[in-house]
Structures are given as structure tokens and as C-alpha cells.
Amino acid sequence: MEPAGTGRRWPGPPAPLLLLLLLQVAGPAGALAETLPDARAVGTSASPPSPASVVAPGTTPLEESRLPVFTLDYPHVQIPFEITLWILLASLAKIGFHLYHKLPTIVPESCLLIMVGLLLGGIIFGVDEKSPPAMKTDVFFLYLLPPIVLDAGYFMPTRPFFENIGTIFWYAVVGTLWNSIGIGVSLFGICQIEAFGLSDITLLQNLLFGSLISAVDPVAVLAVFENIHVNEQLYILVFGESLLNDAVTVVLYNLFKSFCQMKTIETVDVFAGIANFFVVGIGGMLIGIFLGFIAAFTTRFTHNIRVIEPLFVFLYSYLSYITAEMFHLSGIMAITTCAMTMNKYVEENVSQKSYTTIKYFMKMLSSVSETLIFIFMGVSTVGKNHEWNWAFVSFTLAFCLVWRALGVFVLTQAINWFRTIPLTFKDQFIIAYGGLRGAICFALVFLLPAAVFPRKKLFITAAIVVIFFTVFILGITIRPLVEFLDVKKANKKQQAVSEEIHSRFFDHVKTGIEDVCGHWGHNFWRDKFKKFDDKYLRKLLIRENQPKSSIVSLYKKLEIKHAIEMAETGLRSAGPSFASLNDCHEEKIRKLTPGEMDEIREILSRNLYQIRQRTLSYNRHNLTADTSERQAKEILIRRRHSLRESIRKDSSLSRERRASMSASRYLSLPKNTKLPEKLQKKRNVSNAGGNSSDSDADAGTTVLNLKPRARRFLPEQFSQKAAQACRMEWKNEVDVEAAQQPCTPAPHRREGATQTPGALRQPLLPHGQLGPGQEGPTTESQRPRPPPRLVRRASEPGGHKARWGSERP
Amino acid sequence: MGAAQSASEEIRELVGKTGFSSDQIEQLRRRFKQLSGDQPTIRKEHFNNVPDLELNPIRSKIIRAFFDNRNLRKGPSGLADEINFEDFLTIMAYFQPIDITMDEEQVQLCRKEKLRFLFHMYDSDSDGRITLEEYRNVVEELLSGNPHIEKDSARSIADGAMMEAASVCMGQMEPDQVYEGITFDDFLKIWQGIDIETKMHVRFLNMETMALCH
């Protein structure tokens, strides 16, 4: 059943797919069907006889049936069975697409899925002669949409989002209003023309149609934009708009629908509509924030039962969504704000594993939902609920595009005045182009009450045409267009510690200058919020309440991630990196003379290898392709790299080597030891150590007790002076120099500096050394993340102390 | 009359030199007066009057930047004791937003200037390189607001960052090479991915001069 690797295969192997189809067709209408009659397969359905037809185990009163040896009871499992089959089909289709590598880059997945849906729909229609199961709007709104929005909201890069929040709101609210009213009114104008035969469509109906068709769809935007990697700002503008315009859509839709059904409309109703908008939007947000805080608070206490932590995240988010839906508020906004609020605090409270689980499960759910939505769109298109009218359809399409372009242009002119960095024409073009319509519009149009809308089928057709056009044509052409226009692409660099430092530094500089100027800028509010956050919120919501610096968090995260990777690749060593952050010992180590330093350098250069720069980049969806071999090499390099770390020729970084019991002497340099001799010994030990695997095991355990042992061994060295060098914990490292590194206390900084003029030398590795390759804090690959941005991830609070001090194997 | 004329001439001159508009210069002058207590020059102590600056972890560096001769374009190193209004404007000019009418080359120049400002903040001894010690100093200051972090953490972080910088800037190094420190060119390389020209700006017109004593 495995679709064998190479070459193009259209979606998946044909045989299982046909089997699925057969079962689908043969079975009675699924739970997802709204139009099929409820023909339970008790052998009375009009469908062609099939192997799946059920033998009712019931007995007729007239005769007694014998005990059946083998029975088939389809209705019993019908609903879950069909749901499972649909999801399976969707996932198989996805596998099929990715078999041919280039395909998803040329054609966005959404298009392919719709085509599969169309195909399926066609088959079902052809076989059954009735409309295939259309997607029930309830199922869509309650089950399929929330995971996608949750995923988007949880991983939303908050900084650029809030930096652009004014613009996003501007586009979402005013833009959607502009579009709906524009499209509605112009369509009404068209309908007035007698020749088209549309005069029975009233203004209100047109306005309603306009409101539902003008909403930019987050699902479609996500599906298309994730492949083209435009720069973050553009992405966040389009995507933020698509999320936040839900409030406007909900309000307008309900408003016009009620107006259509009301006899008279009074001004108070209009005002009620406007008030409703605020209620819907703000209410949604408040619900989201409230539940987000509760979720964060709950996770504060879950340290004893880590297994259900991910559950809370999902439950609370979903709760926020359906609570908002209960009150007819904007569910999308609720779940988005809930996710964004939760994200910050939950990250710090949950364990590493829970975090990974949350992330992967979320991605999985959203992926499945997205796939199902698109397939269903395809399936539901085929059928009998269409009415074609050239004029209406084509004008709808034209107006959608025109009004979108106009709207973006006009609105941007207005908002550019307030922005410090105005949006260029290229940006505007992409924003307008990226206004894709999708499943929400689709679902809403199906939801129109047929009684009020005699021409509902016309609307459906028009909506489908617009959706297909935007998804297919715009979706496929946006990629070459982006390249043609040379739009700035996303910055794919991984988050490095130095970048974090620079960003932080820069933030503070900017804030400082703003303070000096007396200017309340963005940074002012951000700082205020941060202070409030630190003072109250974090104390309340986070378990281990240490105010964390993002730099340190990032650093720790990288370290832990590195450690996990090392462990995962089967190496014995899962050592933490080169610094024990939490309880670092201060010690004073004798300074080395320049002559000694040179000697060290020489010895090292003769014996060690060079380091190579490594880059590992993770993509949002997949890990790097060639795993094992490259990884092995990388690991080797990383080990060397880490060994190299220990060699610092500048003033003060002393590493601690912990290789075996005997090496304890080398922890610090006793005053009387002659250096070269020590080096000699160390070298021998190192060579010996390298050859035996025992030292690995040894080192593995020794690190456990590093701190206490170190304390025991180094009381005389223990100095209370500030600015001591940090010891590097090394497992397996029996290497040479480390302890000889001079650790110059701060007052002697200058001297140290001159001694080894700020030199940071690339360390070289001993031949055949099998140390734990500890990754330096260089750009470590993060967990896959959507738009690249600063991400703070929590490291395991509980595990922290364990890790830094003593590594538990 | 003469005073007014010379004042407006002065403003015109400043407009020409620094690139600010006359409105902005007016605003900044008011602010300058507030800071300096109506005196013609500002000294370091005057910056204590800015209340929020107390909470800024790198306040000493920021204040220093105002007096840095390299930023004031008065010399290759050293600190001035006091700055007048024109110097104040010179420093502020580093934070002007980039004009969209500028062409690519000018944008690059602007970017370089801004980055140079930042570089000078890192490079406290004016030797043209950010050495490990200076880097450490920066990180320590950044983390100084956080009582739970020990000095050694800052050290190791700085070391790590330095290693990254080394690998970015030097790539593969020969066994005998030493990495002296981050030069300005290396600094440019590091910041290559980051959009400094769009981020490093302050809106100079929408200023509200806050009361200096709270």
C-alpha cells in the first residue's frame, strides 16, 4: 500500500483510493451529508448493490434465523467509519502530492485538494445521480475551522503583529466594510439592468452577498502564503487582516440577514448594528483573553501531571471559540486572542515534552482540517445546486477584484500617513493580490436561508466561481509574481543568540532615545506592558516565577535543544552546553603567561582539527531531508565544535573538564604545577580516553555530580570575587587546555586582554576524540516555526536545575 | 529683529546640516531646554532628569553615546564634557526615519551610519573592534535588570555570541588564526539580515514633552 517513492504519482495509489470510493458510494449517506435522504443501509437503499450492504441481524417475527457465523453491521459504525475514511482519504491525497517534490511549489496544495474533491464529487455524482455529501456548515464552523485558527493564533509572531496592529485593524474593519458595501451596491446596480434577468434580487440581498464574499479567508491565505515566504511584515498584514475581519463579517452577515427578514428597517436598527459590531469584536477578544489567562493559571499547577498539559491548551481554546459562538460573538477573534495570550505563559509552565506535543498536535489538527475543508469544497461544488447567469457571475468576480484593489490602494494612502515606514506599491499590490476568498465564504453562502433567498443557487454559483478563481488563479500566480516583483522575502536565518542580544540592545537604545526625546512611541507602551506583565501577571500565572530575560531563555532553550538532539542521535552524551548558567562557580585560576599561552596554542594546533561552520535549518513542515548521514557528520562537527569552545585564548573562559575521576585534578590549576608537564599528561589522558568507551560511560555519570564534586575539589579556589570565568562542563572531555585557561577577574580584564589580545581562536580537536559534541550557541535550529521571528520558548523549569547542575542520564 | 533673524538663520542652518525640519527642530529645542534647565549645554548629570531612563539597563551606554566624540563627529575617540544644541541634533539625526525618496545608495549610507552609531555603543574603548570583554560588558548590562541571572551566565552568553560572530565573519579559520574582535565590517555582516533602517527611527514630530519631575 506504500506508494513507492520516485516519479509522479497522482494522488496516491489508485487501488486503495478506489476501494475507499466504493465504500463511500456504496454506503449510505454519511453523517456529513445534508441533502441525501437518510437511507440507512439496511438493504433498502436505492444504491446499487454492493459488498457493503448490510445484512440486518434483526429477525423477522415469522421465522427464526439461525445463529449467524459472520455478520456485517454497517450502521453501527457508520458515522465514525465514514469520518475516518474521509480523513484518511484526505491524508493519502496529501501524501500523493508530496511524492512529486516540485508539485506543491508550483501549485498550492489547496488547489490540488480542491481538484481531488472535484474528482471525488464527480464520481459520486456520476454513480449516484444525486448531489454528493456537501459539507454541513455546522461541521465546518464548529469542528473544521477552529483548529486552523488556533494553530495560526498560537504561532502568530506577536511582535510584528502588535507593531502593525493599527494597520491590520484598519484593513480588517474599514477594508471589509468598504468591500462589502462596494460590491453589494455595484451588484445591485447591475441587477437593475433588465437585460440580465436579475431584477428580483433586492438591495439587501446584494449587500448580504457582498458582505459574505468580501471577507478574506485565513485558511486560503495561510495555504497560499506559507509557500511563498514573503517578508514578515507583508505576511502579517494579510494574515492578520484575514483573522480580524471575522468580526466585521459576522456582524454584517447577521445584520443584513436580519434586515432581509424584517419588514421594515428603522434607524435604530442601523445603530444597533453598529453597536453590535463593537460588542462582537470586543466581546470576542475579551472572552479569548479571559480564557487565555485561566488556561495559563491552570498550567501553573500541572507540574505533577504533565501528561494532560496539552489537553488544557486545546480545551481552553476551543472553549473560548464555542463560548463566543454561543453569544454570536466572533469566535475566530476569541480563539486567536486566547491562543496569543496563552502562548506566552503556558510555554513557561509546561514541560518540554508537553510543548512539543502541543505544537505537533496543533499542526496535525490544522493540517487535517485544512485538507478536509478543501476536499469538501471540491466535492460540494459538484451537484445540482447551481444556477448559472453569465452577467451576475462575471460581474461579481470583476467587482471583487476591482473593489479589493481600490480598497487597498485608498486605505493604504490613508494609513501611510500614520505609519513611519509607508507601504510601497509593491506591498500594496501583494496585499490586494493576497485577498483570497475561501471556505468561510463557501460555508456562509450555503447557510443562506432559501426561503428569503429564492435565487440562492445563483449566489452559490457566483461564490464558488470567485473562490475558485482566487484560490486557483491568484494562488498559483502569486508565487511567480512575488519573484517577478522582487518582493522582499522572509529572513530565513535561525534565531541566534547574538541576534537576540542585538535586538534587545537595540530596543533599549530606542526606548532610551525616545525617553530622552520625551516621545511616547510604540516602545513606551510595550515597556509599560512589560513592566505590568513582570510585576503582576507573571507572578500569578507562571509557576517558577523568575523574571526571565529573553536572551537567557533563548540561550537555555538552544542549549537544551542541542542536548536533546545529541541524546536523540544516540550518543551517550547529552551534555548541556558549555555553561552552567544557574549555579556557576566562581573561581580564581592562575593567569597564564603569554609564553604558556603560545605553547598551548602550538600543541593544540598540532593535534586538533578545525571546526566547520554548521547550519541546520528547519522548515515549517519538514525537517531537512538527508537525515542520518548528514546528521552524523554534523554531530561529529558539533562535537569538535564544542571541544573547540573550550579553547579560548582571550582572558577568561575556563572550562572544566570532567572526564574521569583522575581528571579531577585538572579542574583547576594548582599553583605550583608546571604547565607543559600538565599538558603532556593531559594529552596522554586524552588520547587514552579517546580510545576507550569507558570514559564515555564514566563521563556520563560524572557530570551528574559535577557541582558537588567541583565544590569539594575547589574550595581553595573558590573565590568570592566577581567576574570569574565560568566553568564549562564537559562530559567526556579529557582534553587539554581547559583548566589552564586563565581566568582573570574583572579588575584584571585589561591585562588579560593584552595577554591574549581578545583572541578567540577556533579550537582544534584532538585526534580521535570522541567528546560530546556540544553545540556552541551558534544558530541552533529551532523547532519548526511559521514566520520566522523571535520566539521565546520555555525550557523545562523543573528540569532546569537538573540539567545545568547535573545531567541525569 | 536681529535676534529673530539670526534665530531663523540658525534654524535654517541646522535644517541644512541635520536634515530635520524646522518644526522638528523647534520641538527638539524645547526638549533640550527642558533637559538642560535653560542652559546652553547639557552635561551627563542632566540626563538624570529623564525619569524613565533610570529603568533602562543600558542607560550608561546611551548617555555615553550622546557625548561620544565619534558620534558627534569631533574626533576618533574620547568623550566630550558637554554638548550644545547642535550636537544634540547631530545625535538625534541618527534616528531619523529613512526617506522613501532616497535611492538605494543613500539608503545604504543611512544604514551604515545608523549601524555605526550602534557599533560605537558597543565599542567603548574606541579601538574599532568589539572585543570579548566589551561584548561581555554589553550582555551584563543588558541582563543587569534581572536579579536572578548571575554574572557568569552573562559571560557565557557573550562568549557564545562571540563564537557565532566569529563563525559568521571568519568562516573557516586556520589553526593559527585568532579572532581579535568584531570589526565594523563584521558588525555590518551580522546585522545584514536585520532591517535596521526601518526600525531605527523615532517619530520626531509627535512628541509630547513630559514633565521632567514626576
Side-chain angles (χ1 to χ4, degrees):
Chain A
M1 184 119 175
E2 291 300 285
T6 62
R8 288 164 112 133
R9 299 265 172 129
W10 259 104
L17 211 55
L18 281 180
L19 187 60
L20 288 177
L21 284 180
L22 270 181
L23 282 172
Q24 289 291 344
V25 169
L32 305 161
E34 72 178 331
T35 54
L36 284 184
D38 188 20
R40 300 266 148 202
V42 282
T44 59
S45 77
S47 52
S50 66
S53 57
V54 142
V55 170
T59 63
T60 62
L62 298 179
E63 61 174 70
E64 208 179 59
S65 60
R66 301 285 100 198
L67 191 67
V69 177
F70 174 77
T71 48
L72 181 68
D73 186 6
Y74 189 60
H76 185 59
V77 296
Q78 179 183 337
I79 295 174
F81 198 85
E82 295 195 349
I83 295 176
T84 313
L85 280 184
W86 274 109
I87 299 181
L88 196 57
L89 170 70
S91 315
L92 287 174
K94 253 190 137 125
I95 295 182
F97 300 149
H98 285 276
L99 284 178
Y100 181 48
H101 302 290
K102 280 233 184 107
L103 197 56
T105 55
I106 306 174
V107 181
E109 253 184 43
S110 41
C111 305
L112 297 170
L113 289 169
I114 294 183
M115 287 199 276
V116 169
L118 280 174
L119 194 68
L120 267 185
I123 294 177
I124 297 180
F125 188 67
V127 170
D128 227 359
E129 268 309 319
K130 43 181 163 228
S131 301
M135 185 164 56
K136 255 181 153 171
T137 33
D138 271 355
V139 169
F140 171 71
F141 277 114
L142 288 182
Y143 302 116
L144 291 180
L145 187 59
I148 300 180
V149 183
L150 175 63
D151 179 38
Y154 200 79
F155 292 114
M156 174 90 77
T158 41
R159 229 172 103 158
F161 182 74
F162 284 112
E163 278 176 5
N164 288 306
I165 191 100
T167 318
I168 293 179
F169 263 115
W170 181 249
Y171 280 133
V173 177
V174 181
T176 314
L177 272 176
W178 168 282
N179 277 335
S180 336
I181 299 189
I183 295 177
V185 168
S186 9
L187 272 180
F188 181 64
I190 294 295
C191 290
Q192 295 307 93
I193 302 179
E194 285 295 328
F196 297 139
L198 300 165
S199 358
D200 54 335
I201 305 180
T202 68
L203 175 64
L204 276 174
Q205 291 179 345
N206 274 314
L207 281 175
L208 179 56
F209 182 65
S211 75
L212 66 87
I213 199 127
S214 64
V216 178
D217 187 74
V219 182
V221 165
L222 259 182
V224 166
F225 267 69
E226 77 178 359
N227 283 329
I228 58 178
H229 299 298
V230 289
N231 67 61
E232 198 173 50
Q233 181 174 67
L234 262 187
Y235 174 82
I236 208 83
L237 282 175
V238 183
F239 187 61
E241 180 198 343
S242 68
L243 278 183
L244 295 186
N245 67 15
D246 181 56
V248 184
T249 311
V250 163
V251 170
L252 281 180
Y253 184 80
N254 287 325
L255 190 72
F256 288 133
K257 196 161 79 157
S258 328
F259 280 0
C260 282
Q261 288 164 324
M262 279 162 56
K263 299 285 180 231
T264 54
I265 301 168
E266 308 175 13
T267 34
V268 69
D269 292 327
V270 177
F271 283 117
I274 297 178
N276 191 22
F277 162 68
F278 285 106
V279 167
V280 162
I282 298 181
M285 284 200 289
L286 286 178
I287 289 185
I289 293 178
F290 177 65
L291 280 172
F293 279 139
I294 296 201
F297 189 67
T298 312
T299 52
R300 187 178 166 180
F301 302 106
T302 55
H303 47 275
N304 290 324
I305 180 156
R306 294 255 180 223
V307 191
I308 59 172
E309 271 170 348
L311 196 60
F312 282 117
V313 172
F314 291 109
L315 286 179
Y316 277 109
S317 334
Y318 192 59
L319 189 66
S320 69
Y321 183 79
I322 48 184
T323 311
E325 287 290 321
M326 177 170 74
F327 292 113
H328 281 295
L329 306 176
S330 167
I332 291 187
M333 285 184 76
I335 202 174
T336 309
T337 41
C338 183
M340 279 168 55
T341 316
M342 232 179 8
N343 190 14
K344 271 182 26 143
Y345 306 107
V346 160
E347 263 189 29
E348 310 224 5
N349 281 339
V350 300
S351 69
Q352 193 83 337
K353 284 188 199 157
S354 298
Y355 185 80
T356 313
T357 311
I358 292 175
K359 185 190 63 172
Y360 272 105
F361 201 66
M362 222 179 257
K363 296 260 172 237
M364 184 186 81
L365 278 180
S366 74
S367 180
V368 165
S369 286
E370 194 180 322
T371 317
L372 278 177
I373 288 177
F374 283 118
I375 287 196
F376 267 122
M377 264 171 62
V379 168
S380 314
T381 307
V382 180
K384 290 201 179 131
N385 41 13
H386 291 295
E387 179 193 332
W388 185 266
N389 180 311
W390 273 107
F392 192 78
V393 170
S394 46
F395 274 108
T396 306
L397 185 59
F399 285 139
C400 278
L401 298 173
V402 163
W403 280 102
R404 169 93 184 151
L406 265 183
V408 168
F409 182 71
V410 169
L411 290 179
T412 315
Q413 296 309 312
I415 195 83
N416 265 347
W417 204 61
F418 293 97
R419 286 177 65 93
T420 334
I421 304 300
L423 293 170
T424 64
F425 275 120
K426 265 196 235 164
D427 293 336
Q428 293 173 38
F429 188 74
I430 297 290
I431 293 176
Y433 211 77
L436 306 174
R437 274 53 164 191
I440 293 186
C441 161
F442 195 78
L444 284 178
V445 85
F446 267 101
L447 205 53
L448 289 173
V452 186
F453 288 85
R455 311 277 307 250
K456 179 174 165 179
K457 292 190 177 173
L458 180 60
F459 287 162
I460 293 180
T461 313
I464 288 185
V465 166
V466 170
I467 293 175
F468 276 32
F469 182 83
T470 56
V471 172
F472 278 88
I473 309 291
L474 296 189
I476 293 181
T477 56
I478 198 170
R479 170 179 268 264
L481 202 65
V482 160
E483 286 174 13
F484 175 69
L485 287 179
D486 197 25
V487 174
K488 218 166 8 160
K489 292 277 191 104
N491 186 6
K492 283 206 189 147
K493 271 200 320 170
Q494 297 301 316
Q495 185 61 47
V497 177
S498 63
E499 271 182 29
E500 181 79 21
I501 294 177
H502 291 313
S503 295
R504 286 270 138 236
F505 186 80
F506 175 69
D507 280 341
H508 285 301
V509 168
K510 195 164 156 194
T511 310
I513 298 284
E514 279 176 354
D515 284 336
V516 170
C517 282
H519 175 230
W520 291 7
H522 264 241
N523 279 8
F524 176 78
W525 289 113
R526 186 158 10 124
D527 269 4
K528 269 241 178 316
F529 175 71
K530 199 156 177 339
K531 279 188 210 118
F532 172 70
D533 189 33
D534 281 337
K535 216 166 155 199
Y536 300 111
L537 293 179
R538 291 181 78 99
K539 289 216 176 87
L540 191 59
L541 298 175
I542 296 186
R543 195 162 61 83
E544 271 193 7
N545 184 28
Q546 286 184 352
K548 293 219 169 118
S549 154
S550 64
I551 299 181
V552 179
S553 309
L554 176 64
Y555 184 72
K556 286 186 181 174
K557 201 189 341 163
L558 290 178
E559 299 283 341
I560 286 192
K561 179 163 177 57
H562 183 63
I564 290 178
E565 276 180 357
M566 301 312 290
E568 274 174 357
T569 54
L571 300 173
R572 291 289 206 95
S573 55
S577 65
F578 58 74
S580 51
L581 289 185
N582 274 350
D583 306 300
C584 215
H585 294 295
E586 342 232 49
E587 63 186 18
K588 185 170 177 204
I589 298 188
R590 183 178 74 88
K591 261 190 294 182
L592 287 179
T593 67
E596 285 163 340
M597 296 305 299
D598 285 340
E599 245 177 315
I600 296 175
R601 259 196 223 121
E602 231 166 63
I603 292 171
L604 289 173
S605 61
R606 257 184 275 134
N607 294 313
L608 304 182
Y609 287 149
Q610 225 177 38
I611 230 60
R612 173 160 82 70
Q613 188 178 14
R614 51 132 220 145
T615 45
L616 254 195
S617 64
Y618 282 5
N619 169 319
R620 178 186 182 187
H621 290 301
N622 7 20
L623 303 180
T624 46
D626 45 6
T627 46
S628 55
E629 196 188 310
R630 200 158 31 118
Q631 255 186 15
K633 267 199 214 151
E634 286 293 351
I635 289 157
L636 210 49
I637 290 160
R638 272 189 242 159
R639 277 170 168 171
R640 296 175 189 162
H641 186 102
S642 54
L643 284 178
R644 155 178 65 115
E645 304 284 320
S646 56
I647 302 170
R648 300 303 183 106
K649 291 315 166 235
D650 63 297
S651 52
S652 76
L653 221 357
S654 91
R655 265 99 174 119
E656 168 144 68
R657 305 293 181 198
R658 210 63 204 103
S660 59
M661 309 304 175
S662 59
S664 62
R665 287 183 279 149
Y666 301 123
L667 284 183
S668 67
L669 204 53
K671 292 178 191 134
N672 315 330
T673 336
K674 276 194 228 128
L675 198 51
E677 185 188 300
K678 266 225 158 263
L679 285 178
Q680 208 69 28
K681 273 197 216 154
K682 272 213 156 184
R683 198 146 53 100
N684 291 337
V685 178
S686 85
N687 284 338
N691 297 335
S692 78
S693 52
D694 293 344
S695 60
D696 277 23
D698 254 345
T701 51
T702 51
V703 166
L704 269 189
N705 308 318
L706 181 52
K707 281 219 182 51
R709 185 172 290 142
R711 278 210 188 91
R712 260 186 283 130
F713 288 137
L714 305 172
E716 70 275 25
Q717 256 72 21
F718 203 98
S719 158
Q720 291 304 326
K721 279 205 201 131
Q724 303 300 337
C726 212
R727 276 204 319 234
M728 310 274 279
E729 289 184 278
W730 282 116
K731 286 195 208 176
N732 289 344
E733 275 334 309
V734 208
D735 212 348
V736 203
E737 11 45 35
Q740 280 78 7
Q741 289 302 320
C743 172
T744 56
H748 303 295
R749 249 198 320 233
R750 283 289 167 216
E751 295 165 66
T754 52
Q755 180 189 70
T756 57
L760 211 68
R761 184 175 160 186
Q762 299 290 354
L764 315 161
L765 299 180
H767 196 55
Q769 187 68 326
L770 294 176
Q774 192 58 34
E775 185 70 61
T778 43
T779 56
E780 180 54 89
S781 40
Q782 287 179 344
R783 303 164 196 146
R785 218 163 159 74
R789 197 43 230 157
L790 285 176
V791 294
R792 287 113 177 82
R793 298 247 192 138
S795 26
E796 177 156 14
H800 258 166
K801 309 243 159 49
R803 274 192 202 274
W804 299 124
S806 47
E807 193 66 51
R808 296 208 171 99
Chain B
M1 176 82 171
Q5 251 186 353
S6 63
S8 58
E9 267 175 29
E10 192 191 321
I11 292 186
R12 264 202 301 274
E13 220 184 285
L14 288 172
V15 167
K17 272 197 202 162
T18 57
F20 282 112
S21 73
S22 41
D23 285 334
Q24 292 172 328
I25 292 187
E26 263 314 301
Q27 289 253 8
L28 284 168
R29 184 191 286 284
R30 255 179 275 154
R31 182 63 179 166
F32 184 81
K33 276 214 171 108
Q34 259 186 328
L35 280 176
S36 70
D38 280 337
Q39 291 176 4
T41 59
I42 288 188
R43 297 173 166 279
K44 280 199 186 157
E45 305 79 61
H46 288 116
F47 279 97
N48 297 333
N49 292 334
V50 182
D52 283 327
L53 209 53
E54 298 296 322
L55 307 164
N56 200 317
I58 54 171
R59 71 184 292 274
S60 57
K61 286 211 185 314
I62 295 177
I63 296 177
R64 201 171 175 282
F66 274 89
F67 295 92
D68 196 332
N69 275 335
R70 294 173 290 174
N71 292 336
L72 297 170
R73 309 213 176 105
K74 284 188 184 162
S77 65
L79 290 180
D81 282 332
E82 51 188 21
I83 53 174
N84 60 20
F85 182 55
E86 193 178 322
D87 297 327
F88 186 70
L89 282 183
T90 314
I91 301 285
M92 287 300 172
Y94 282 103
F95 286 87
Q96 281 170 326
I98 299 231
D99 209 348
I100 36 174
T101 59
M102 286 191 208
D103 59 10
E104 189 57 36
E105 200 189 305
Q106 282 178 311
V107 169
Q108 282 304 322
L109 270 178
C110 263
R111 183 191 158 84
K112 244 185 155 178
E113 280 310 305
K114 292 181 193 261
L115 282 174
R116 203 182 290 277
F117 183 83
L118 285 180
F119 185 76
H120 291 158
M121 288 181 78
Y122 280 89
D123 182 22
S124 37
D125 60 1
S126 313
D127 63 354
R129 287 179 177 284
I130 305 177
T131 60
L132 187 65
E133 277 309 322
E134 287 167 345
Y135 211 107
R136 278 196 190 147
N137 186 284
V138 168
V139 176
E140 272 167 23
E141 278 198 355
L142 275 179
L143 297 176
S144 62
N146 199 329
H148 294 266
I149 296 181
E150 312 197 354
K151 271 233 156 122
D152 299 329
S153 331
R155 297 223 130 166
S156 27
I157 291 175
D159 297 336
M162 199 68 171
M163 296 298 295
E164 273 173 15
S167 54
V168 163
C169 308
M170 306 276 271
Q172 291 214 16
M173 288 191 7
E174 299 303 313
D176 289 333
Q177 264 185 323
V178 290
Y179 187 57
E180 305 285 338
I182 305 180
T183 60
F184 185 54
D185 291 320
D186 296 339
F187 195 68
L188 283 177
K189 260 191 247 174
I190 295 177
W191 279 84
Q192 213 168 25
I194 310 178
D195 238 8
I196 193 80
E197 56 265 19
T198 56
K199 292 194 185 146
M200 188 159 161
H201 61 265
V202 170
R203 282 207 195 90
F204 284 108
L205 263 186
N206 307 343
M207 284 171 7
E208 291 129 51
T209 43
M210 306 194 305
L212 284 182
C213 41
H214 274 202

